[in-house]
């Protein structure tokens, strides 16, 4: 899993074979041809490979129109791609990437034919997103030559390539594919062949926690999407993203990861999503998912609190990442350095504002013998976040929400008041993403650096979950998880043992 082996990319003279000329195969053929390799493109359906090549020619023409490519370069890219009529024609290929139907038996049989056609040292790569590389290799004569080369859609635009090693994969083969992907301008990462590899495993909580928060009545999809983007810094909210991916696809991936981990509750699918699949509300492609895409339909607005009065008294206890904004707000502030409150607690007009630690506001009020408690959410960057989610304890007076809202509005936040759910939205999501990332590292699926790189390059997270957790403080992330676990009492929220070890040992994931 290290980069200790000498890694050399395949030379540009090396022929690349691509099997399957659909969405992914055509994209991969384009990437290889643009890098400068001769490409052989095959598809089982008559005319499909030519159609794939014609599609690439159209993309090249568009790049020329936009001034991003010269006509000569575009012509050269297209000329490098040859359509072939049989797998036996793959003879000259040094690397064959398969992007066909997602079925183990079909992939095994295709690779069996490819193995017979190519040289003994040719590399066989599968773009599978859910099958085991170990299992695909099991029926081959040279399973050490088989590796996963998992591109993301659209392959020409997404930088991440997961290079997956099965049990039999030769490390040198994985290194050549890694180096070749890098030479193609991609961001490769190494991963062991385990269900979901890196991205499809570590990303599960992004969808799952959002679905749980709605199911627990915490907030509606539009509010959760707005909080995760405008406060959490994610490019797209989970409901928007699920509608885009398609609920059939997203639900199938969740189920496949859940089954593959022997029904570990960490990966439990959601009834809320199953309902959409059952209804045929698959998202954008069917015109309806969480949101309505019919013509003239308007998207529901996220919950936003009406303007409230700024508080008269503001006490800041210890350090708070809100400091810059508090100063800029012009509010009069009393600073109290050491007292009964934890760092980061802010008391506005007698209302205690606590950064989310995974407990419900109601629990904090009960456990700390307080009444007016409001919890506020984690932000990627409190200095620039546009929105914040808050939730009040059941014990709190009506004035509590008003005072908290007035305070955050005076700091320039749009305020979404949500129901009192453990961990709110961003804190809960990010803690669970970091927890899954920590487990993947603990189980030697990939290094911490590669997990973080995969999540930023494969699904555009604003930070790698582990680096983000280090930023927040591993002890705080561990507290959030422990509190979620204690409150919800489900195995799903058990903190990763490696995270616990880092907290107790004082280490970091990247140190
Ligand atoms: P697609 O349906 O767009 O294209 C598949 C192509 O393979 C079709 O043109 C089909 O005719 C051809 N094909 C099917 N069986 C074949 C065979 N036995 N021999 C030769 N060609 C055959 O599918 P897509 O989306 O391109 O997916 C292909 C692979 O890539 C799957 O393994 C999928 O899991 C994986 N993948 C898909 C991603 C996506 O977002 N669509 C992302 C990453 C991986």
């Amino acid at each position: 899993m290290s980069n200790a082996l000498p890694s050399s990319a395949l030379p540009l003279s090396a022929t690349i074979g691509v099997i399957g000329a659909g969405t992914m195969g055509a994209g991969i053929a384009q990437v290889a041809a643009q890098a400068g390799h001769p490409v052989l493109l095959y598809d089982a359906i008559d005319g499909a490979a030519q159609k794939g090549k014609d599609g690439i020619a159209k993309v090249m023409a568009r790049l020329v129109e936009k001034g991003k490519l010269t006509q000569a370069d575009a012509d050269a890219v297209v000329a490098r791609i040859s359509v072939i009529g049989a797998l036996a024609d793959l003879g000259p290929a040094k690397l064959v990437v398969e992007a066909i139907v997602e079925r183990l038996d079909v992939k095994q049989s295709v690779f069996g034919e490819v193995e017979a056609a190519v040289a003994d040292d040719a590399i066989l790569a599968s773009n599978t997103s859910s099958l085991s590389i170990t299992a695909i290799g099991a029926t081959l004569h040279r399973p050490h030559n088989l590796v996963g080369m998992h591109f993301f859609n659209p392959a020409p635009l997404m930088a991440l390539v997961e290079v997956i090693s099965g049990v039999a994969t030769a490390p040198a083969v994985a290194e050549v594919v890694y180096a070749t992907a890098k030479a193609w301008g991609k961001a490769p990462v190494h991963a062991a062949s385990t269900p979901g590899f890196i991205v499809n495993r570590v990303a599960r909580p992004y969808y799952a926690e959002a679905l749980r928060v709605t199911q627990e009545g915490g907030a509606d999809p539009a509010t959760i999407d707005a909080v995760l983007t405008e406060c959490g810094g994610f490019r797209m909210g989970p409901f928007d993203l699920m509608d885009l991916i398609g609920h059939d696809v997203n639900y199938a991936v969740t189920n496949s990861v859940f089954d593959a981990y022997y029904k570990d509750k960490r990966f439990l699918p959601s009834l809320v999503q199953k309902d959409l699949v059952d209804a045929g509300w698959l998202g954008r492609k069917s015109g309806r998912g969480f949101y309505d895409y019919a013509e003239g339909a308007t998207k529901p607005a996220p919950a936003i609190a009406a303007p409230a009065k700024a508080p008269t008294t503001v006490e800041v206890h210890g350090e708070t990442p809100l400091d810059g904004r508090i100063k800029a707000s012009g509010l009069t502030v009393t600073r109290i350095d050491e007292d009964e409150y934890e760092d980061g607690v802010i008391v506005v007009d007698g209302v205690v504002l606590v950064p989310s630690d995974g407990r419900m506001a109601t629990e904090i009020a009960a456990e700390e013998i307080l009444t007016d408690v409001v919890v506020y959410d984690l932000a990627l960057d409190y200095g620039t976040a546009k929105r914040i989610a808050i939730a009040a304890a059941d014990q709190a007076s009506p004035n509590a929400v008003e005072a908290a809202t007035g305070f955050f509005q005076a700091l320039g936040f749009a305020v979404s008041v949500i129901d009192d759910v453990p961990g709110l939205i961003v804190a809960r999501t990010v803690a669970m993403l970091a927890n899954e990332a920590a487990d993947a590292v603990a189980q030697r699926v990939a290094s911490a650096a590669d997990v973080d790189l995969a999540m930023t390059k494969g699904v555009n997270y604003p930070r790698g979950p582990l680096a983000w957790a280090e930023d927040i403080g591993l002890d705080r992330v561990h507290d959030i998880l422990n509190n979620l676990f204690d409150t919800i009492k489900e195995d799903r929220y058990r903190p990763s043992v490696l995270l616990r070890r880092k907290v107790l040992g004082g280490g970091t994931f990247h140190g």
Side-chain angles (χ1 to χ4, degrees):
M1 213 123 306
S2 74
N3 300 339
L5 286 164
S7 44
S8 53
L10 289 171
L12 291 183
S13 58
T15 297
I16 309 297
V18 178
I19 311 176
T23 311
M24 295 307 291
I28 295 165
Q30 182 191 323
V31 170
Q34 276 191 287
H37 293 272
V39 175
L40 300 175
L41 184 57
Y42 172 75
D43 198 286
I45 293 180
D46 252 3
Q50 186 58 48
K51 199 171 147 217
K53 180 175 172 177
D54 294 345
I56 296 168
K58 277 198 200 119
V59 174
M60 292 302 115
R62 239 177 290 137
L63 291 177
V64 172
E65 268 170 38
K66 285 190 191 161
K68 296 199 170 155
L69 209 62
T70 65
Q71 187 64 50
D73 285 345
D75 292 345
V77 169
V78 178
R80 278 195 283 273
I81 302 172
S82 311
V83 168
I84 55 171
L87 289 172
D89 300 336
L90 284 168
K94 298 281 182 259
L95 164 66
V96 177
V97 187
E98 162 276 314
I100 64 168
V101 60
E102 190 75 335
R103 269 184 48 193
L104 179 63
D105 57 339
V106 182
K107 290 198 197 272
Q108 284 177 328
S109 123
V110 163
F111 275 122
E113 281 189 60
V114 175
E115 206 176 28
V118 295
D120 283 2
D121 61 352
I123 296 175
L124 311 180
S126 174
N127 183 51
T128 180
S129 41
S130 66
L131 299 173
S132 154
I133 296 301
T134 303
I136 298 175
T139 54
L140 298 182
H141 293 295
R142 299 191 293 274
H144 52 275
N145 283 347
L146 179 78
V147 65
M149 192 174 192
H150 186 212
F151 288 81
F152 287 71
N153 189 13
L157 298 182
M158 297 300 287
L160 182 66
V161 176
E162 291 178 329
V163 178
I164 322 286
S165 290
V167 166
T169 305
V173 166
E175 286 305 331
V176 170
V177 169
Y178 180 99
T180 302
K182 205 160 201 170
W184 293 357
K186 295 297 176 188
V189 293
H190 282 292
S193 181
T194 46
F197 311 137
I198 302 174
V199 170
N200 277 335
R201 170 195 184 152
V202 176
R204 299 320 327 137
Y206 190 60
Y207 315 107
E209 292 314 313
L211 289 161
R212 294 283 299 234
V213 171
T214 38
Q215 205 171 8
E216 289 166 17
D220 57 89
T223 302
I224 295 173
D225 276 352
V227 170
L228 278 161
T229 51
E230 295 171 27
C231 184
F234 289 91
R235 192 168 296 180
M236 210 172 187
F239 295 99
D240 255 337
L241 193 50
M242 285 184 279
D243 270 4
L244 179 68
I245 294 168
H247 292 284
D248 48 345
V249 173
N250 192 260
Y251 183 64
V253 175
T254 305
N255 269 294
S256 114
V257 173
F258 178 57
D259 288 340
Y261 282 105
Y262 301 108
K263 308 208 183 303
D264 185 336
K265 289 286 194 288
R266 276 244 208 280
F267 305 107
L268 191 71
S270 166
L271 277 176
V272 174
Q273 190 168 39
K274 179 176 184 294
D275 263 353
L276 292 184
V277 175
D278 287 349
W281 291 14
L282 304 180
R284 288 191 196 199
K285 64 184 172 192
S286 71
R288 178 90 213 227
F290 281 105
Y291 303 118
D292 188 351
Y293 299 93
E295 229 176 274
T298 47
K299 212 166 174 185
I304 183 161
K309 202 164 66 60
T312 324
T313 64
V314 178
E315 283 171 18
V316 174
H317 296 258
E319 301 273 320
T320 168
L322 285 165
D323 239 355
R325 273 172 97 149
I326 294 175
K327 279 197 191 107
S329 73
L331 291 170
T332 313
V333 173
T334 314
R335 289 180 189 277
I336 300 168
D337 276 338
E338 283 191 17
D339 66 353
E340 76 270 30
Y341 291 125
E342 298 226 359
D343 250 12
V345 167
I346 300 162
V347 182
V348 297
D349 289 348
V351 177
V352 183
L353 307 185
V354 185
S356 175
D357 65 2
R359 288 180 292 173
M360 292 181 285
T362 303
E363 285 175 297
I364 297 175
E367 288 166 16
E368 315 293 339
I369 322 180
L370 296 163
T371 46
D372 281 345
V373 173
V374 171
V375 176
Y376 65 93
D377 209 353
L378 179 73
L380 170 67
D381 178 356
Y382 281 104
T384 55
K386 293 198 181 82
R387 180 181 296 269
I388 193 110
I390 63 172
D394 288 353
Q395 301 90 327
S397 59
N399 162 60
V401 169
E402 181 79 5
T405 301
F407 169 72
F408 282 110
Q409 287 175 342
L411 267 50
F413 288 92
V415 177
S416 290
V417 181
I418 70 167
D419 209 19
D420 189 19
V421 287
L424 298 184
I425 298 170
V426 182
R428 176 169 173 165
T429 302
V430 172
M432 285 294 278
L433 289 172
N435 205 33
E436 203 46 57
D439 263 359
V441 173
Q443 292 160 14
R444 305 285 190 274
V445 173
S447 68
D450 276 1
V451 169
D452 274 356
L453 187 65
M455 303 317 288
T456 52
K457 299 291 184 189
V459 269
N460 293 320
Y461 286 1
R463 305 221 42 191
L466 295 169
W468 198 346
E470 284 168 0
D471 230 38
I472 296 163
L474 295 184
D475 49 350
R476 174 151 177 232
V477 172
H478 189 249
D479 278 351
I480 293 171
L481 291 163
N482 253 331
N483 287 329
L484 287 170
F485 181 73
D486 285 346
T487 297
I488 305 173
K489 301 215 163 21
E490 275 181 48
D491 194 35
R492 165 192 194 80
Y493 296 99
R494 66 186 189 270
S496 161
V497 172
L498 183 61
L499 175 61
R500 180 169 169 75
R501 201 173 123 199
K502 297 290 180 199
V503 170
L504 297 176
T508 62
F509 288 101
H510 297 91

